Amino acid sequence: MKPIRKAVLPVAGFGTRVLPATKTIPKEMLPVFDRPAIQYVVDEALAAGIEHIVFVTGRNKGAIEDYFDTAYELETSLAAKNKTEILEAVQATCPVAGSMSFVRQQAPLGLGHAIWCARDIIGDEPFAILLPDVLVKAEPSCLAQMVAAYEETGSNIIAVEPVPEAEVNKYGVIDPAERSGNRIRMNGMVEKPPVDEAPSNLAITGRYILQGKIFDYLADQAAGAGGEIQLTDAMARLMATDEFYAVEYAGQSYDCGSKLGYLRANIAYALADAEHGAGARALLDGEFAA
Ligand code: G1P
């Protein structure tokens, strides 16, 4: 069984739902408490054993590439002032040389198309996908839980979680067959079904482990929900021939693509912070108590 070494992070989206904050800043660079949202997702990937990250970027996303690089002037200045702790925090964001690739999606044709843009860099091996809009607080990390399931099955895996029935039309939704522990065999999956047609309330969380074969399906995938080339539609075709499981992971997700979801993530990560968690709690219970 081939190990999961590479992960694709699609970051080409405009961040329309959180404009005007994202007019000049990539949404992935907006801070969640004390670091850019993308940092949490990269950390989740690394914690699951990922060795190489492929960013599918677009115009005006250069800040992401710069963030994962040496900041020479800044680091020299911090070193000269003996600001060792801050310097170390800055240097910790710099990945191992050669462990990140950037490829452009030139047109917003959908998530499926974005992933297909990474095909040459991924090659013929199983890989992970992490959608950076979604932060997942979990121990072990969501992707690590999925890697554990992959190591037992060698199959395709998606993370799922229950969502309120009224919100199923915002997600990819699975049609569950039988369940064994947290592992679910599926009859199918559908992208953004109308609420009264959804096969369940188990939504796809934005974490995937897929075989390289998915690229064959993405290559000729027709546009689906919202007129976009959907990853879910290609996965539904792959599922017809190959083993595929959903894993209901243990943890909590935060959708940073919406304003309240983003605020919620900020509060959650502030409360969990070793240094500032108690202060954040005091703010909520005092000044912001109902
Ligand atoms: C994407 C996927 C969807 C998934 C969701 C998770 O949708 O297409 O299947 O449930 O992410 O956040 P998007 O939020 O990009 O519309």
Side-chain angles (χ1 to χ4, degrees):
M1 189 190 304
K2 288 186 186 169
I4 310 298
R5 295 190 315 112
K6 297 177 186 166
V8 178
L9 274 58
V11 295
F14 287 137
T16 322
R17 287 190 292 162
V18 282
L19 278 168
T22 49
K23 186 177 168 187
T24 56
I25 301 171
K27 64 177 168 175
E28 298 80 11
M29 292 304 297
L30 294 178
V32 171
F33 186 51
D34 65 350
R35 66 202 69 186
I38 193 79
Q39 180 76 62
Y40 295 94
V41 182
V42 166
D43 287 346
E44 178 184 343
L46 298 179
I50 296 297
E51 296 167 8
H52 192 104
I53 293 181
V54 183
F55 291 92
V56 181
T57 76
R59 290 174 60 74
N60 302 324
K61 296 283 182 166
I64 299 175
E65 201 163 338
D66 289 343
Y67 178 79
F68 291 109
D69 194 3
T70 303
Y72 183 74
E73 300 89 338
L74 173 66
E75 290 173 34
T76 307
S77 164
L78 290 172
K81 290 178 187 157
N82 284 322
K83 299 201 169 178
T84 319
E85 214 173 305
I86 307 174
L87 177 62
E88 281 171 7
V90 168
Q91 288 174 334
T93 64
C94 194
V96 175
S99 65
M100 287 184 173
S101 300
F102 296 81
V103 62
R104 283 207 181 196
Q105 182 192 28
Q106 292 102 334
L109 299 180
L111 175 61
H113 179 262
I115 301 305
W116 182 72
C117 291
R119 68 196 179 283
D120 285 350
I121 305 176
I122 297 297
D124 184 24
E125 57 179 284
F127 66 105
I129 301 169
L130 299 95
L131 306 190
D133 270 359
V134 184
L135 302 187
V136 187
K137 252 172 148 298
E139 193 53 54
S141 77
C142 180
L143 188 63
Q145 294 176 42
M146 296 168 70
V147 168
Y150 169 79
E151 282 169 353
E152 283 176 34
T153 61
S155 68
N156 299 276
I157 314 260
I158 50 171
V160 295
E161 64 187 76
V163 297
E165 312 243 323
E167 289 179 24
V168 286
N169 56 357
K170 293 200 256 170
Y171 301 96
V173 176
I174 67 160
D175 180 359
E178 70 271 354
R179 176 191 279 262
S180 162
N182 69 348
R183 208 173 296 164
I184 304 165
R185 239 182 229 288
M186 296 171 279
N187 297 317
M189 56 175 76
V190 54
E191 183 68 16
K192 301 194 173 70
V195 171
D196 54 357
E197 287 172 27
S200 75
N201 72 332
L202 288 172
I204 301 171
T205 300
R207 300 290 185 271
Y208 314 74
I209 290 176
L210 297 172
Q211 304 290 332
K213 198 172 167 185
I214 192 72
F215 292 118
D216 298 341
Y217 292 101
L218 289 171
D220 64 0
Q221 182 61 51
E228 298 189 340
I229 297 170
Q230 296 291 353
L231 177 61
T232 302
D233 294 341
M235 292 195 299
R237 288 162 70 203
L238 177 62
M239 192 184 307
T241 53
D242 289 35
E243 203 178 14
F244 214 131
Y245 291 100
V247 166
E248 190 174 341
Y249 70 96
Q252 179 64 55
S253 69
Y254 300 91
D255 174 14
C256 293
S258 75
K259 290 183 186 179
L260 280 182
Y262 175 64
L263 174 63
R264 192 165 156 258
N266 271 281
I267 294 170
Y269 283 93
L271 288 172
D273 186 76
E275 189 182 347
H276 298 289
R281 168 54 63 202
L283 273 179
L284 293 176
D285 292 348
E287 193 178 339
F288 293 105

